[in-house]
Structures are given as structure tokens and as C-alpha cells.
Amino acid sequence: MEQTLAILKPSAIERCLIGEIVGRIERKGLIISGMKMMQLDEKILREHYAHLVDKPFFPSIVESMTATPVVVMALSGKDAVKVFRMMAGVTNGRDAAPGTLRGDFCMSNQANIVHASDSVENGRIEVARFFRPDEIFDYKYSDIEFYYGDGEMAD
Ligand code: ADP
């Protein structure tokens, strides 16, 4: 099944939003295939945000992303990348739609609560960047078929 990487950023950890975000992910029906807390550093952020390393605000991304540990999650499901990207909302919390994580919980373009992989290929690359293979678990919720229409999950 498709996988995507979610990072609960320091802006979520500092405000005790872990439970709220994990609850939304579970209720949506995305399967939590991997989850752990870790401290990010500049080295991994230079890889993860390679497209932003030359921007003037990159040092402030490093500062905000290393302010506390983060929670990283590998999420699985049909169209998991698109689904979690939509749950996150657009980058700037002030533009993000109500009902999305960024739209509901922040006012910031930077301290925007979660990371969500932006393509299927990046989902694969990012899960592999943050998780060892033995940290990813292949299981399903016992009622997972009820989150999908008949046969839809296997399409
Ligand atoms: P997204 O996280 O929505 O995929 P980007 O890949 O463009 O967005 O940016 C990665 C992260 O870098 C954003 O989530 C945000 O935390 C930070 N960021 C992006 N643009 C800016 C900016 N102009 N000023 C400060 N931080 C930014």
C-alpha cells in the first residue's frame, strides 16, 4: 500500500497536539505503519528540505524544527500521500482551510504543525530516510474494510 511520511513538528509538540493529530489520522483510516519520537538535527534537515537549503529562511527552519523532539509517522493507505497532504492543508496556516491541521491549529507559514510528503516518490524516499525497515509494521486495523467501499481498498 502507498506510504507517506508525517512529521509532527515542534509547533505541534509544544502545544500538546500529538493526541489530537494521531486521533484524526486514526479516525480517517490511515494506518500508522511506523511511529517514533526523535530529535532532528541540521544534517537530516539539509536532506529533508534540500529544495530550501539556499533560501534565506533556511536557518530559521533548522531552529524551529530542532526546538523540541518531533514525532515521525509512516502512514499507509490507498492514496495515502494525497490524503494526508489534504489533511495537512496548504503551507501557510493563515491560508489553510478550516478542517485541515494547519487551518485549525496555526497562524504560521513556518511553525505549521505537520510535514506531509508531497509525492508518491517522496513518500517512499522520506519514509526510508526516517525509518529503518524493521521499524515499519505490516498490519491492518481489524475494521479497515469499513473505511472503504466494497473492494475499493484493493483497486
Ligand atoms: P510544505 O511543508 O507545505 O510541503 P515547503 O516544502 O514549501 O512546504 O516548505 C517546507 C517547510 O519550510 C514549510 O512547511 C515551512 O515550515 C517552511 N517554509 C516554507 N516556506 C517558508 C517561508 N517563506 N518562510 C519560513 N518558512 C518557510
Side-chain angles (χ1 to χ4, degrees):
M1 236 184 321
E2 192 171 299
Q3 286 190 345
T4 191
L5 182 81
I7 303 178
L8 280 48
K9 296 184 178 186
S11 46
I13 309 304
E14 279 160 346
R15 293 173 45 215
C16 303
L17 290 172
I18 296 173
E20 169 73 33
I21 297 168
V22 171
R24 285 191 186 202
I25 289 167
E26 288 182 317
R27 293 200 300 275
K28 177 67 177 172
L30 285 168
I31 294 168
I32 299 170
S33 299
M35 180 159 87
K36 63 183 175 182
M37 183 170 261
M38 63 189 289
Q39 176 65 48
L40 301 183
D41 59 21
E42 182 164 346
K43 181 171 179 289
I44 200 164
L45 287 166
R46 281 183 166 272
E47 279 176 38
H48 182 65
Y49 286 135
H51 60 298
L52 298 175
V53 163
D54 295 329
K55 300 280 185 199
F57 54 82
F58 187 71
S60 107
I61 291 184
V62 172
E63 195 178 328
S64 73
M65 290 295 289
T66 58
T68 68
V70 298
V71 171
V72 290
M73 305 173 79
L75 306 176
S76 304
K78 190 172 173 65
D79 299 327
V81 170
K82 177 182 75 180
V83 168
F84 189 62
R85 192 84 184 156
M86 290 187 70
M87 287 177 74
V90 298
T91 307
N92 188 332
R94 297 189 297 281
D95 295 328
T100 64
L101 293 162
R102 290 165 169 173
D104 284 353
F105 296 124
C106 75
M107 290 287 284
S108 174
N109 193 28
Q110 178 168 93
N112 56 2
I113 307 294
V114 288
H115 166 78
S117 302
D118 64 1
S119 69
V120 174
E121 191 194 0
N122 280 340
R124 218 176 291 121
I125 292 169
E126 292 177 358
V127 167
R129 176 176 297 135
F130 287 90
F131 289 93
R132 297 191 313 265
D134 68 343
E135 293 176 320
I136 300 294
F137 300 93
D138 185 16
Y139 74 102
K140 288 189 177 69
Y141 305 141
S142 62
D143 61 350
I144 192 68
E145 287 98 48
F146 297 105
Y147 288 82
Y148 292 88
D150 219 10
E152 209 179 356
M153 204 177 151
D155 282 353

